[in-house]
């Protein structure tokens, strides 16, 4: 069982993690640069080349990046740990979709994101000690 202070730290760190990881997806330009870098990483690791990004892939990646950035800022600005429970549900869902993508042949680099998502999901799903109130 986590202390409220520890849970608050986890909650804030998860929002900062989301900002760091998702900003490259938020615009067509940043996505193009990121995708090129990922392609280079694939080449270096001897992995299959990444597919080109269609207009629909860019649209949905930008949608994903924008929504997650906004959600991260909302969590940081409101600073309400109750939002961590909602975030945990989203992380469980994202983990499922990423595992599905891996089962369909997605890049093994995706495992790093899956592990991070599941870790944040577990941490944000843990019970938190209730603070005893004195009368």
């Amino acid at each position: 069982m986590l202390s409220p202070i520890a849970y608050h730290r986890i909650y804030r760190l998860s929002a900062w993690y989301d900002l760091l990881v998702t900003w490259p997806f938020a615009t067509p330009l940043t996505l193009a640069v990121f995708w090129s870098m990922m392609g280079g990483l694939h080449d270096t690791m001897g992995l299959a080349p990444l597919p080109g990004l269609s207009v629909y892939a860019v649209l949905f990646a930008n949608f994903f990046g924008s929504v997650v950035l906004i959600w991260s800022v909302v969590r940081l600005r409101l600073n309400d740990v109750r939002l961590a429970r909602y975030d945990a549900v989203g992380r469980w869902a994202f983990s499922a979709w990423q595992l599905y993508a891996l089962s369909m042949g997605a890049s093994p680099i995706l495992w790093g994101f899956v592990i991070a998502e599941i870790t944040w999901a577990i941490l944000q799903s843990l019970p938190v000690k209730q603070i005893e109130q004195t009368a």
Side-chain angles (χ1 to χ4, degrees):
M1 192 172 287
L2 293 171
S3 72
I5 292 170
Y7 192 72
H8 185 261
R9 282 190 190 122
I10 289 167
Y11 162 74
R12 303 263 313 163
L13 284 172
S14 75
W16 282 110
Y17 165 82
D18 286 346
L19 282 172
L20 178 69
V21 170
T22 58
W23 74 265
F25 295 91
T27 73
L29 178 61
T30 55
L31 178 60
V33 171
F34 174 75
W35 202 251
S36 176
M37 290 172 45
M38 293 308 299
L41 181 59
H42 266 239
D43 291 344
T44 301
M45 295 177 69
L47 299 172
L50 288 176
L53 291 174
S54 72
V55 66
Y56 298 107
V58 172
L59 171 68
F60 284 104
N62 294 161
F63 175 72
F64 151 76
S66 299
V67 169
V68 174
L69 284 179
I70 293 165
W71 173 240
S72 300
V73 171
V74 165
R75 288 182 292 147
L76 289 167
R77 295 278 300 166
L78 294 181
N79 203 26
D80 185 343
V81 295
R82 294 176 296 181
L83 297 176
R85 297 299 187 195
Y86 296 107
D87 192 58
V89 172
R91 289 182 189 283
W92 287 117
F94 280 3
S95 298
W97 313 150
Q98 290 173 347
L99 288 169
Y100 174 76
L102 284 163
S103 77
M104 300 302 290
S107 169
I109 293 173
L110 189 57
W111 276 109
F113 294 98
V114 172
I115 291 166
E117 285 300 317
I118 290 173
T119 300
W120 289 120
I122 290 169
L123 290 172
Q124 291 183 152
S125 297
L126 291 173
V128 178
K129 292 178 190 173
Q130 296 296 318
I131 298 173
E132 293 183 24
Q133 305 232 346
T134 57

